[in-house]
């Protein structure tokens, strides 16, 4: 970074500040009460009003109106941009990204194709003379109401319960039905603004009934064509909707008449038939409610399990614990009130018990403390190169070498990790993003469940935890089996020396000196030289069933 150039010259020659400072920063681009963000690559047009507090990256560009533009002016533009007419225009003027379909397969239908929507293209978008402000304001209000009854939002103010989610689902379905109906009215209102209809065929704002997917005019028209053998489509299956060929009788008479008028126009007007197709109409695709509830419960539970106080001993030092011990806290600790009930709601197995549910929940939420336990041989070779880079960076910080002498380490791939969940948590730079640390093989002889630590610990705390685990296991475990714990401490020591040298104000201990002494002592006790600890590798996996492993992953059901 220090050697980068701008206009062919080193940055330090072009600016009056340090190389690591921003050379070009435009705060005005980040300021503003309102902005309209949109998806850079998507199958359809998705524009949203941002009321501040967010930073968008290149995959979500933003539209900024002139300074002082009101919320209503943003909503008015938002309504038009989210119409089916705008989607049609954008797809005629934007880059087709190809035929990647659902799940990465082949897109067999036009509405599955992805397009690249850019700000440059949007500058040429033709705006109509009329206004859709009232309709846009109504859809925006409904969108905010819908967000307030999402499962995660419900859990912000209430404890999890089946009744809470049942009420939330009913309300969510009601509000979304109204949003679908108002969006349909907006589409038809915009058709008139652009001159596709002689009169405004939209109904008054706020006076339409909620409708389900499959009940819009274009969907009824499509279902009729499918029934007649004139078309084939996966539209209804992909969106979990029911195709209907007749206007639903449960809808009010006035609304049924409006839908019939639209069907008549679609049948005889080529322009409207072209616009009223799945590739331009809002999809309203969503994750099933049950899946969203499960995801929200998972986050809610894990957030509480990360409470720092749960991972400290009575003296305030880090305390690893097995999942069995954590399960006992779930049933007794005040900080974990409601977690047992939430686990039961989250679990796909009824009355499985807290311990069984915790084992299932946490199996992919922890990454081992030691590189040799999370990386394959290919990954460990890259890890060794990263260690060289880190040492060089420390030498650079001390002024011993220059930036140019710091080697660039290789990136990891999924094939470098022992488990897919480790790759998902760490990524190509092996950066810790997991919630918990796992200590394989460190549980007691009578407890087969995994030993865990909190990933929020700093390096010194992680080192203290390893020493604590060693002390807990030294009397009932062969020293050779404790070598990986010592190797983990050795792996942490460069970071402990970097960040925790000097007297700690809280404990009065120099943790770098203390843990270095512990490392020397534990290495001698284990019979392995410190320099040789990095060569430790776990035993190769063997084929066949292991009763011990089965017991660890499927503990007895609790009463």
């Amino acid at each position: 970074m220090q050697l980068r150039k701008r206009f062919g010259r080193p940055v330090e020659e072009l600016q009056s500040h340090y190389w690591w400072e921003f050379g070009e920063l435009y705060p005005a681009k980040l300021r503003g009460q309102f902005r309209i963000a949109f998806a850079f690559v998507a199958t359809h047009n998705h524009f949203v009003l941002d009321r501040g507090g967010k930073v968008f990256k290149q995959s979500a560009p933003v539209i900024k109106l002139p300074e002082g533009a009101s919320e209503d002016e943003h909503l008015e533009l938002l309504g038009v941009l989210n119409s089916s007419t705008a989607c049609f225009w954008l797809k005629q003027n934007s880059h087709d990204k190809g035929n990647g379909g659902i799940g990465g397969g082949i897109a067999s239908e036009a509405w599955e194709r992805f397009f690249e929507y850019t700000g440059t293209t949007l500058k040429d978008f033709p705006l109509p003379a009329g206004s859709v402000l009232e309709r846009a304001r109504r859809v925006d209000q409904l969108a905010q109401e819908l967000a307030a009854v999402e499962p995660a939002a419900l859990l912000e103010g209430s404890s999890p319960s089946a009744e809470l989610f049942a009420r939330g689902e009913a309300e969510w379905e009601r509000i979304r039905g109204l949003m679908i109906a108002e969006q349909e009215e907006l589409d038809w209102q915009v058709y008139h603004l652009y001159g596709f209809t002689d009169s405004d065929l939209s109904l008054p704002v706020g006076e339409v009934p909620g409708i389900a997917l499959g009940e819009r005019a274009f969907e009824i028209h499509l279902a009729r064509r499918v029934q007649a053998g004139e078309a084939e489509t996966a539209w209804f299956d992909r969106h979990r909707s029911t195709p209907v060929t007749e206007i639903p009788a449960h809808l009010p008479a006035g609304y049924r008449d409006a839908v019939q008028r639209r069907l008549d126009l679609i049948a005889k007007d080529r322009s409207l038939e072209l616009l009223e197709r799945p590739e331009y109409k809002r999809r309203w695709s969503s994750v099933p409610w049950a899946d969203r509830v499960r995801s929200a419960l998972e986050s809610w539970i894990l957030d509480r399990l990360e409470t720092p106080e749960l991972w400290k001993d009575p003296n305030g030092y880090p305390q690893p614990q097995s999942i069995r011990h954590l399960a006992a806290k779930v049933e007794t600790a005040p900080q974990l009130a409601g977690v047992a009930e939430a686990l039961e709601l989250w679990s796909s197995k009824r009355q499985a018990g807290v311990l069984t549910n915790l084992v299932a929940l946490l199996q992919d939420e922890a990454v081992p403390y030691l590189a040799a336990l999370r990386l394959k041989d290919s990954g460990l070779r890259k890890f060794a190169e990263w260690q060289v880079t880190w040492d060089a960076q420390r030498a650079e910080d001390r002024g011993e070498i220059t930036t140019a002498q710091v080697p660039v380490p290789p990136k990891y791939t999924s094939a470098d990790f022992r488990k897919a969940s480790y790759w998902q948590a760490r990524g190509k730079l092996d950066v810790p993003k997991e919630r918990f640390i796992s200590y394989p093989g460190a549980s007691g002889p009578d407890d087969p469940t995994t030993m865990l630590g909190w990933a929020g610990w700093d390096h010194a705390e992680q080192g203290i935890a390893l020493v604590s685990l060693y002390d807990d296991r030294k009397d009932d475990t062969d020293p050779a089996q404790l070598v990986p714990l010592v190797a983990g401490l050795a792996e942490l020591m460069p970071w402990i020396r970097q960040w925790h040298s000097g007297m700690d104000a809280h404990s009065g201990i120099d943790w770098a000196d203390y843990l270095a002494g512990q490392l020397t002592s534990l290495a001698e006790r284990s019979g392995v030289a410190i320099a040789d600890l990095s060569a430790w590798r776990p035993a190769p996996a063997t084929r066949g069933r292991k009763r011990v492993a089965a017991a660890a992953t499927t503990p007895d059901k609790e009463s």
Side-chain angles (χ1 to χ4, degrees):
M1 290 294 290
Q2 187 174 6
L3 301 180
R4 75 186 190 279
K5 295 181 179 180
R6 187 183 303 140
F7 306 116
R9 294 176 60 190
V11 291
E12 289 183 323
E13 294 182 11
L14 291 172
Q15 53 197 46
S16 59
H17 38 260
Y18 295 108
W19 63 267
W20 40 263
E21 294 183 89
F22 285 110
E24 293 183 58
L25 181 63
Y26 306 98
K29 287 187 176 182
L30 302 177
R31 296 195 187 109
Q33 186 177 1
F34 305 109
R35 287 172 297 183
I36 294 175
F38 59 96
F40 179 55
V41 176
T43 63
H44 287 63
N45 48 333
H46 299 283
F47 293 83
V48 60
L49 178 63
D50 168 47
R51 291 179 166 86
K54 300 179 183 67
V55 175
F56 298 94
K57 55 183 294 185
Q58 70 274 14
S59 59
V62 298
I63 299 171
K64 287 198 67 177
L65 298 187
E67 187 175 355
S70 67
E71 180 175 356
D72 281 353
E73 289 175 290
H74 285 80
L75 286 172
E76 189 171 19
L77 175 59
L78 189 69
V80 176
L81 291 176
N82 275 326
S83 68
S84 55
T85 306
C87 188
F88 176 84
W89 186 92
L90 283 167
K91 288 192 174 184
Q92 310 315 306
N93 292 277
S94 299
H95 174 60
D96 187 336
K97 296 289 287 184
N99 60 353
I102 188 169
I106 300 300
S108 59
E109 302 190 45
W111 53 267
E112 295 179 279
R113 301 180 73 88
F114 285 81
F115 286 77
E116 182 179 288
Y117 304 120
T118 67
T120 302
T121 299
L122 277 167
K123 287 180 180 179
D124 297 326
F125 181 76
L127 292 172
S131 173
V132 294
L133 174 59
E134 293 303 316
R135 185 83 61 187
R137 188 184 288 141
R138 171 64 174 163
V139 175
D140 177 70
Q141 174 195 351
L142 290 170
Q144 294 183 59
E145 293 176 8
L146 192 72
V149 293
E150 284 286 342
L154 293 174
L155 288 174
E156 290 179 3
S158 303
S159 297
S161 69
E163 294 75 17
L164 175 71
F165 294 123
R167 291 194 305 270
E169 181 178 17
E171 186 66 1
W172 189 88
E173 292 288 354
R174 182 190 71 81
I175 297 170
R176 192 178 79 144
L178 290 172
M179 285 190 71
I180 294 172
E182 292 288 0
Q183 174 68 45
E184 184 71 357
E185 299 308 307
L186 184 144
D187 285 348
W188 283 89
Q189 185 177 357
V190 172
Y191 292 156
H192 176 60
L193 294 182
Y194 281 101
F196 291 109
T197 61
D198 295 331
S199 61
D200 187 354
L201 296 179
S202 66
L203 298 174
V205 175
E207 296 184 17
V208 291
I211 59 174
L213 288 181
E215 295 179 351
R216 291 175 286 180
F218 88 93
E219 289 173 311
I220 296 173
H221 177 73
L222 179 61
R224 289 175 177 177
R225 294 187 64 227
V226 171
Q227 186 182 59
E230 299 172 358
E232 292 183 3
T233 184
W235 174 268
F236 301 104
D237 290 338
R238 293 276 177 82
H239 298 87
R240 298 184 301 279
S241 61
T242 302
V244 295
T245 56
E246 300 298 331
I247 302 172
H250 65 82
L251 296 172
Y255 191 79
R256 294 201 305 272
D257 291 342
V259 174
Q260 185 59 59
R261 287 194 299 272
R262 294 167 187 175
L263 285 168
D264 293 341
L265 278 173
I266 292 172
K268 69 179 183 181
D269 189 311
R270 173 63 178 166
S271 295
L272 284 173
E273 190 276 333
L274 183 62
L275 290 167
E276 284 284 290
R277 291 182 181 179
E279 50 263 46
Y280 310 120
K281 299 291 287 188
R282 186 158 298 279
R283 295 178 62 175
W284 295 105
S285 180
S286 63
V287 176
W289 178 263
D291 293 345
R292 280 180 285 145
V293 167
R294 200 165 193 267
S295 177
L297 282 169
E298 181 174 314
S299 295
W300 189 89
I301 295 166
L302 291 170
D303 286 347
R304 278 147 187 78
L305 292 179
E306 281 201 77
T307 302
E309 289 72 27
L310 295 174
W311 301 93
K312 295 178 180 179
D313 66 14
N315 295 317
Y317 293 115
Q319 181 181 48
Q321 54 199 302
S322 70
I323 297 181
R324 186 180 293 278
H325 287 144
L326 193 59
K329 288 186 176 181
V330 166
E331 297 180 311
T332 58
Q335 305 98 313
L336 299 179
V339 169
E341 293 79 4
L343 279 167
E344 186 66 25
L345 289 170
W346 171 86
S347 177
S348 58
K349 298 179 180 179
R350 298 299 91 183
Q351 299 181 336
V354 171
L355 178 56
T356 298
N357 287 335
L358 267 185
V359 169
L361 176 67
L362 296 173
Q363 62 181 346
D364 291 330
E365 296 295 334
V367 174
Y369 64 97
L370 183 64
L373 290 170
R374 70 175 179 271
L375 296 171
K376 298 177 184 177
D377 288 343
S378 61
L380 289 172
R381 288 191 290 271
K382 293 179 181 179
F383 181 74
E385 294 186 58
W386 276 87
Q387 289 178 304
V388 171
T389 295
W390 292 329
D391 287 341
Q393 287 176 329
R394 295 182 185 106
E396 180 193 10
D397 291 342
R398 294 190 297 268
E400 298 170 1
I401 62 174
T402 66
T403 301
Q405 295 173 280
V406 178
V408 178
K411 294 178 181 179
Y412 297 92
T413 69
S414 58
D416 294 324
F417 289 82
R418 291 181 177 271
K419 283 183 62 177
S421 62
Y422 302 163
W423 160 253
Q424 291 164 1
R426 291 297 185 98
K428 62 186 177 182
L429 301 180
D430 194 25
V431 175
K433 296 186 291 290
E434 63 273 10
R435 289 176 180 262
F436 304 103
I437 305 166
S438 63
Y439 301 94
S443 299
D446 300 324
D447 186 352
T449 61
T450 304
M451 183 68 69
L452 297 177
W454 182 42
W457 289 334
D458 61 32
H459 294 100
E461 290 171 322
Q462 292 178 44
I464 295 167
L466 287 168
V467 172
S468 172
L469 282 172
Y470 191 102
D471 287 342
D472 289 344
R473 299 279 79 83
K474 65 183 179 183
D475 294 331
D476 56 30
T477 306
D478 184 343
Q481 296 179 355
L482 298 178
V483 170
L485 294 176
V486 186
L489 181 58
E491 200 169 275
L492 282 171
M493 278 311 303
W495 299 105
I496 294 172
R497 291 192 183 96
Q498 180 172 347
W499 302 116
H500 301 282
S501 292
M503 198 66 65
D504 177 67
H506 174 70
S507 63
I509 298 174
D510 184 317
W511 289 114
D513 285 347
Y514 170 78
L515 292 171
Q518 289 292 312
L519 174 61
T520 300
S521 174
L522 298 183
E524 291 175 354
R525 185 180 300 176
S526 301
V528 181
I530 293 177
D532 296 333
L533 287 170
S534 61
W536 181 88
R537 297 292 183 270
T542 56
R543 294 175 179 264
R545 296 180 61 186
K546 291 184 177 181
R547 284 179 290 179
V548 173
T553 55
T554 54
D556 295 336
K557 183 184 292 186
E558 297 181 330
S559 57

